[in-house]
Structure formats: structure tokens, C-alpha cells
Amino acid sequence: MAEQDETDRDKLLAHQTVLARFGELVLRSDDLQEILQDACRLVAEGLGTGLAKVLELQRDGRTLLVRAGVGWRPGIVGAVMIRPEEDSGATYALRTGEPVISPDTEREDRFAIPGFVREHGVRSLANVVILGPDSGPPYGVLEVDRRSLGPFSAQDIAFLRTYANMLSAAVGRFRASEELRRRADDNARLLRELQHRVKNNLQVIVGLVQVQLRRSEHEETRRALRSVGQRVGALRLLHDKLYMGGEVDRVDLGAYLTELAGTLLRFHDDEDARIRLVLEVKKLVVSPDQAAPLGLIVNEFVTNSLKHAFRGAVGTIGLTLEPRKGGATRLTLWDDGRGLPVEPGGGTGMRIIEALARQLSASVEWNTTGGARLTLTVRPHGAGAPSQA
């Protein structure tokens, strides 16, 4: 019994790690094919199956295309179709709307096993439906296959359903973007609709992360999930600002960063800590493309300061935002704690900050005298350049 409990804990940890990594991937990538492909890779790693695929339902509402997958020979992904007359496990799942498990494909009598699946030596498989956005038709099916016999556990299926729901949210965001591009003549209304959908999708991801956080018994996984939740929360706050302000192409950066830093401080784990926030912020209007990475940079710096900077429960974190000559913007973040534990670029938070700064083509300056200080200078480039309101 003790060994079984340990196995279940290890499996739960693997599942939660995959969900955390996938949540970060969705935030980082704007390429749907990359997300689907990496989703297959992560789920195959998390369940130890070696084989996984996303089957996309085609326009006829019956045929499935192997849109993404890992472990399959060349010529399968992006090319192979499963016709409705083949009556596979995936079509069976679409028909019933429920997960479909086949613990032994050689004894399966409910549906046929596609030839390419048999060619790869698959002996057991599981299918879950990827729901369509806005209560529309299903996007398709997530299938995991393995070359060994044995059922998938209830815990495995619960994980796959959560994972498929996150995939559905990602697909919904990209479908909204495609619709926006196709109907550019109605640009203003569709932009507001896109912001509303993105906001809802971010709320879905936050909710899923919170569910997994409550279930997790492992502190390492809880830390990873909290980090994902905070990053998604930073983006959700930005979309709230855009949606409530009625403008989808400009945001008050000063107000956004002020609210974000204050929120992070209020939700700091240690309620007895006396951490003071010092703000010197000018009103600057920028595009969401600039506000999003700057918000994530503030999230990383403030979160790392709260976790690591202060030996006791007293300290100060500062944020300064000001316009510079030539239309540039300077963002300075600092704390009076113990300074950086490693050279800039060495820790995860620093690497994320450096990557986001490169995305903005911003200059970065670190200083460890009397604490930690980060100065970013973002120079104007085209329509996204900031303006002082």
C-alpha cells in the first residue's frame, strides 16, 4: 500500500509538472502548430507513453487529420486522415463525448484500430475530446498511445481531460485571432471581442492552475504552479485594463504597473512581512505589445524580491517609470535587500527578464550595490512607441 501511495504521488507530480510547463508554453508562443506539437511532446513525457497525437476535426465534421504528434514516423503528422468509416477510437470518443480507453488493442471490438497505429506497435491507448470554443463543435481529439498493455488509471484520465481543456482554451484564442484577420473591415468590434475571449481564456487557465495547486502535496510543484499563475495573472490584469478602458490598442502603462506591483505585494505569502512599495510613476500610454512584456518583467522582479531579497520581514521595493529624451521609456526596479544571489542571467527569473528585454529591444543594466537594481530603457519603434498623456 505504501508503494502504491508513493507511485500515485509520483504520477500526480508528473501530471502537475506537465500542466505547469504547458501553461508557460501557451503564454510564450504565438504559433498554434508549435503549441500543439509541444503539447503532444509534454503529454507523452508526462504519461511515459512515447506516442501522442492531436487529431483535428475537419470541415465535414467527420474526418480527422493528424495535426500534431510525437513518436510517429515521417509522413504521418500533417498528412494522415482518419475517415469516419474507419470508426477509430477517436471517432468513437467524438460520438460519445466521453474519454475512450482501450487497454488491449488486439482485443478491441468497439472500433477499428487504424493501420498506422498498428504499424507502430500500439497495444493500449486513450482518447479525450478537445472541446470547441464558445460551445461550438469539438476541435478534435487528444490521443496517447503506448506499446505496452494495461489500462489508463482514473487519475490519468482526469489529467488528460484537464490538459485537453487547456488545449481548447489555446485553440480558442488562435481561432479568434484568425477571425479577426479575416474580418478586418469590422476591426474595432472584433478587437474588443478578441480581448474578451483572451481574458476569458486566461481566466480558464488561472482556474485550472488553481485547481492543480490545491491538489498538489509537493512544494516544488506548488512553487512552479504559483509562478505560472502569477505570470498569467499579470497578463489577465493587462487585458482587464484594455477591456474596461474600451481601448484595445493602447494602455496607461503607469496605472497598469502600479496596480500589478501592488497586487503582488498584497498577495505575498508572509502576512507578517512589512515590505514597503515606493512608486514614482508618470502616465505613459503604450501598446499592449510593450505593456505585456514590461508587466511580466515587473512580475518577475517583484516576486523574486519578495521571495529572496529580505533576511527579515522588513524591506522596500521600488518602481520608477519615466519618459526619456527621444520618446524612450525608462523603467527602474529596485529593492534594499541582500542583492542578487548569482550573476545576472543565472537564475530563472533573471533569464526570463533578459528574454523579455530582448523582445522589446531594450537595454538592460543590473546593479547589486545596496540591494538589487534593474534599469531598462525601451526606445521607440514605430506605432508602439510610448506617448506621455
Side-chain angles (χ1 to χ4, degrees), residues 337-351:
R338 67 183 68 185
L340 299 172
V342 293
E343 289 299 315
T348 301
M350 294 178 190
R351 290 197 299 271

Side-chain angles (χ1 to χ4, degrees), residues 19-32:
L19 290 172
R21 291 171 65 189
F22 181 64
E24 290 184 329
L25 167 68
V26 171
L27 292 178
R28 187 176 67 246
S29 177
D30 59 359
D31 184 329
L32 180 58

Side-chain angles (χ1 to χ4, degrees), residues 6-55:
E6 185 174 354
T7 299
D8 289 344
R9 284 195 297 271
D10 290 344
K11 182 180 289 189
L12 181 60
L13 176 60
H15 293 173
Q16 291 166 341
T17 301
V18 168
L19 290 172
R21 291 171 65 189
F22 181 64
E24 290 184 329
L25 167 68
V26 171
L27 292 178
R28 187 176 67 246
S29 177
D30 59 359
D31 184 329
L32 180 58
Q33 185 61 37
E34 178 187 28
I35 287 178
L36 294 176
Q37 191 65 31
D38 280 355
C40 291
R41 176 181 57 80
L42 288 171
V43 76
E45 290 176 2
L47 292 178
T49 62
L51 293 162
K53 56 183 176 288
V54 170
L55 298 155

Side-chain angles (χ1 to χ4, degrees), residues 186-332:
D186 199 12
N187 195 40
R189 182 180 65 81
L190 287 175
L191 276 170
R192 288 187 177 89
E193 182 180 349
L194 174 61
Q195 294 299 332
H196 181 62
R197 290 185 181 187
V198 171
K199 176 175 175 286
N200 287 345
N201 288 334
L202 290 171
Q203 288 173 334
V204 168
I205 294 174
V206 167
L208 291 170
V209 169
Q210 288 173 343
V211 167
Q212 294 301 319
L213 185 60
R214 288 195 294 268
R215 290 178 178 174
S216 176
E217 300 176 358
H218 301 269
E219 185 54 34
E220 182 179 348
T221 302
R222 290 174 66 84
R223 284 197 298 270
L225 288 167
R226 276 195 293 267
S227 295
V228 173
Q230 287 173 338
R231 290 165 190 157
V232 178
L235 295 177
R236 188 176 64 173
L237 175 60
L238 172 59
H239 284 282
D240 284 345
K241 289 287 185 187
L242 293 168
Y243 190 69
M244 297 301 293
E247 296 188 64
V248 296
D249 58 351
R250 44 195 276 126
V251 63
D252 182 347
L253 181 62
Y256 167 51
L257 297 183
T258 295
E259 185 172 347
L260 175 61
T263 300
L264 291 170
L265 209 65
R266 285 195 300 273
F267 285 95
H268 180 42
D269 287 342
D270 186 358
E271 296 181 356
D272 296 325
R274 290 168 297 178
I275 308 299
R276 189 167 62 103
L277 182 64
V278 176
L279 300 168
E280 298 179 52
V281 175
K282 301 286 186 180
K283 183 175 182 179
L284 292 172
V285 176
V286 302
S287 71
D289 288 342
Q290 283 196 346
L294 287 171
L296 291 172
I297 287 171
V298 169
N299 175 78
E300 294 299 325
F301 187 95
V302 173
T303 299
N304 278 295
S305 291
L306 291 170
K307 287 181 179 178
H308 307 297
F310 307 109
R311 292 183 175 85
V314 179
T316 305
I317 297 173
L319 185 157
T320 302
L321 179 70
E322 55 186 344
R324 306 295 291 178
K325 291 182 179 179
T329 299
R330 176 168 291 177
L331 172 65
T332 304

Side-chain angles (χ1 to χ4, degrees), residues 158-170:
F159 159 68
L160 285 172
R161 295 184 83 160
T162 299
Y163 199 73
N165 287 338
M166 293 180 72
L167 266 173
S168 174

